[in-house]
Amino acid sequence: MSAGQLFAPQALLPEGWAQDVLLEWDAGGDLVTVHPDADSTAATAAGVPQAAGPVLPGMPNLHSHAFQRGFAGLAEYRSVTHGDDPAGGDSFWSWRTLMYRFALRLSPDALEAIATQLYIEMLRAGYTSVCEFHYVHHDRDGKPYADPAEMSLRLLRAAKAAGIGMTLLPVLYQTAGFGAKPAQVDQRRFLNDTDAMLALLARLAPECAAHDARLGLAPHSLRAVPAESLSRAVAGLHAMDATAPVHIHIAEQQKEVDDCLAWSGVRPVEWLLDHAPVDGRWCLVHATHMDWDERRRLAHSGAVAGICPTTEANLGDGVFDAAPYLAQHGAWGIGSDSHASVSVTEELRLFEYGQRLGLQRRNVLASERHAQVADRLWLDAVAGGARAAARPVAGLAIGQRADFVVLDGHHPTLAGLDGPQALATHVFASHGHETLAEVRTGGTCRVQHGVHAQQADAGRLFAAARAHLMAD
Ligand code: NGQ
Ligand code: ZN
């Protein structure tokens, strides 16, 4: 027995576009029927609702620091005239100093308000699940809350309230740089020893199960986690759950590459591939700066490269060299990271545009299989995002979650276009999210014509929380 049904005149299945697709899901929100070339007359006669336009798999957002939504837009001014960074001015590192100042003011209530607003915005943009890379664990003095899982639980509640799928990744953070450099005072809210982290994971496992969330671990970076802690924490996680996801920031800034070389003689991605059991359970966030061999090895490892194009642009990280990585079938997905932008289409577009700008060519990431760039981008990012999320969100296929978005075939921008043209227009030539008619997770409609039922209340709480934090 299905709990819900939809008839899609056109739908983007993992293998490509299909016509007249009957979708059915069960009471748990899992797809039980994905039937192309179904009889549309029979479906209409049986009262199956018809989609307003082409149906796409919902997009997993593989990298988020929710609290940074409250800070987005507030560091777009010159804060440094001459610093110790090579450019002698504002950089990733001076941004980080300001961001830490904001993080130090955060309360549990503020985090929940900001995250709820953010997750609603994600749904409105067509993201149907999120991997939350969560590192503000402790109170302002750096002491654990009475319940050390306090902040994590706020994120689970926010995801539930918004209706977005959740992979919670508590972050292990111990040091300020390679070679076990002691943590800075302004990093005090992030710190846990390895045993405390394993205890936090054990505390969160039943909570995540109760919230239908997946639990993983995020060693923050090779800068923040010494080698021994990295291996012990990953082993501890995998003793609890052998398939749990592991995410790590890596090689985002040239300085990190230089520091890693000075410390170990090898580059960060190379070091990780040599010293950690990197496979399909891993997501290497950014991986911006790789040489040819690192790129080849990462592509063959099965791990996902977590690309965050708007944040990487905002922070001046560099451009991920995508063409050779994708040519070697490297897995990748997208994340909104610092939330300078919360837009699936803007991330995908900028990913392709970075390549065009660098190579002075067009349609760089089209493939032999997908002449349409947008088809390739969308399907790759869903597949990689699902692997990073370690949840069944890999697209419109039986056994996967009924997470999908419906394009608005009646909107003037899309009217009269077929599925591939509509998707290409949605990605490359639409403004805002007006071309989305509907967003569903687990079959439940969360957004209809841009509106989420809780958006007004969430918006008020967000604005109040941010005003309070800024006055603090
Ligand atoms: C973060 N964000 O953890 O929020 C980092 C900055 C760091 C990005 N890398 C801090 N985009 O990497 O040290
Ligand atoms: Zn990040």
Side-chain angles (χ1 to χ4, degrees), residues 150-205:
E150 173 77 37
M151 296 294 249
S152 300
L153 296 177
R154 298 306 189 112
L155 293 164
L156 290 176
R157 273 168 54 173
K160 186 116 191 171
I164 198 165
M166 166 63 94
T167 298
L168 182 64
L169 303 161
V171 171
L172 183 62
Y173 206 110
Q174 298 181 335
T175 59
F178 291 97
K181 202 169 157 211
Q184 298 165 196
V185 183
D186 57 4
Q187 294 170 332
R188 61 186 180 273
R189 300 189 73 174
F190 320 157
L191 309 176
N192 281 293
D193 65 32
T194 307
D195 288 328
M197 178 50 59
L198 293 174
L200 179 63
L201 295 177
R203 160 89 180 87
L204 284 169

Side-chain angles (χ1 to χ4, degrees), residues 80-138:
V80 175
T81 42
H82 42 89
D84 55 6
D85 62 283
D90 280 309
S91 68
F92 174 93
W93 308 100
S94 62
W95 166 83
R96 193 179 78 158
T97 301
L98 298 178
M99 184 273 283
Y100 280 0
R101 234 174 261 169
F102 182 80
L104 279 172
R105 302 189 197 136
L106 204 64
S107 65
D109 285 345
L111 176 63
E112 188 173 339
I114 292 168
T116 304
Q117 165 76 3
L118 171 67
Y119 296 157
I120 288 173
E121 291 171 342
M122 285 185 189
L123 285 161
R124 294 175 71 194
Y127 289 116
T128 42
S129 55
V130 60
C131 300
E132 183 59 40
F133 198 109
H134 162 55
Y135 62 88
V136 186
H137 298 298
H138 305 316

Side-chain angles (χ1 to χ4, degrees), residues 277-358:
V278 175
D279 59 15
R281 297 170 297 183
W282 286 67
C283 177
L284 275 63
V285 181
H286 309 301
T288 314
H289 301 282
M290 291 192 285
D291 67 17
W292 190 90
D293 200 50
E294 289 176 300
R295 206 180 295 116
R296 180 189 60 78
R297 291 180 64 192
L298 180 59
H300 294 162
S301 74
V304 179
I307 317 287
C308 308
T310 62
T311 294
E312 289 156 8
N314 185 277
L315 298 179
D317 291 340
V319 178
F320 184 92
D321 194 358
Y325 181 72
L326 271 61
Q328 296 177 85
H329 309 288
W332 64 278
I334 52 165
S336 61
D337 191 347
S338 67
H339 317 300
S341 167
V342 180
S343 166
V344 174
T345 54
E346 202 177 344
E347 301 301 344
L348 294 178
R349 191 162 59 223
L350 185 56
F351 187 48
E352 164 71 19
Y353 280 178
Q355 313 306 311
R356 293 190 193 185
L357 288 163

Side-chain angles (χ1 to χ4, degrees), residues 234-467:
V234 170
L237 172 78
H238 286 148
M240 284 174 59
D241 175 354
T243 61
V246 180
H247 290 217
I248 186 168
H249 289 128
I250 198 140
E252 179 181 12
Q253 282 278 318
Q254 188 58 45
K255 180 178 179 336
E256 177 179 331
V257 178
D258 298 342
D259 290 355
C260 188
L261 277 165
W263 166 67
S264 68
V266 299
R267 304 164 60 84
V269 172
E270 189 180 0
W271 190 94
L272 189 72
L273 290 165
D274 286 345
H275 292 90
V278 175
D279 59 15
R281 297 170 297 183
W282 286 67
C283 177
L284 275 63
V285 181
H286 309 301
T288 314
H289 301 282
M290 291 192 285
D291 67 17
W292 190 90
D293 200 50
E294 289 176 300
R295 206 180 295 116
R296 180 189 60 78
R297 291 180 64 192
L298 180 59
H300 294 162
S301 74
V304 179
I307 317 287
C308 308
T310 62
T311 294
E312 289 156 8
N314 185 277
L315 298 179
D317 291 340
V319 178
F320 184 92
D321 194 358
Y325 181 72
L326 271 61
Q328 296 177 85
H329 309 288
W332 64 278
I334 52 165
S336 61
D337 191 347
S338 67
H339 317 300
S341 167
V342 180
S343 166
V344 174
T345 54
E346 202 177 344
E347 301 301 344
L348 294 178
R349 191 162 59 223
L350 185 56
F351 187 48
E352 164 71 19
Y353 280 178
Q355 313 306 311
R356 293 190 193 185
L357 288 163
L359 296 169
Q360 303 180 34
R361 280 172 43 207
R362 297 192 73 249
N363 303 327
V364 176
L365 300 178
S367 65
E368 239 157 75
R369 199 152 148 234
H370 300 290
Q372 285 280 0
V373 181
D375 289 358
R376 203 286 170 88
L377 295 176
W378 201 281
L379 287 172
D380 268 21
V382 168
R387 192 182 296 179
R391 294 181 64 247
V393 291
L396 301 173
I398 290 171
Q400 302 297 307
R401 299 293 294 160
D403 285 8
F404 56 84
V405 301
V406 180
L407 294 178
D408 185 356
H410 306 299
H411 190 284
T413 300
L414 303 186
L417 305 183
D418 66 16
Q421 292 169 331
L423 176 55
T425 303
H426 176 61
V427 171
F428 287 103
S430 71
H431 318 291
H433 314 310
E434 271 184 33
T435 38
L436 285 183
E438 221 175 75
V439 180
R440 291 185 185 234
T441 60
T444 303
C445 191
R446 308 292 179 184
V447 176
Q448 207 152 20
H449 289 289
V451 179
H452 184 290
Q454 269 90 58
Q455 72 185 43
D457 287 344
R460 270 190 294 276
L461 288 170
F462 168 79
R466 189 170 64 179

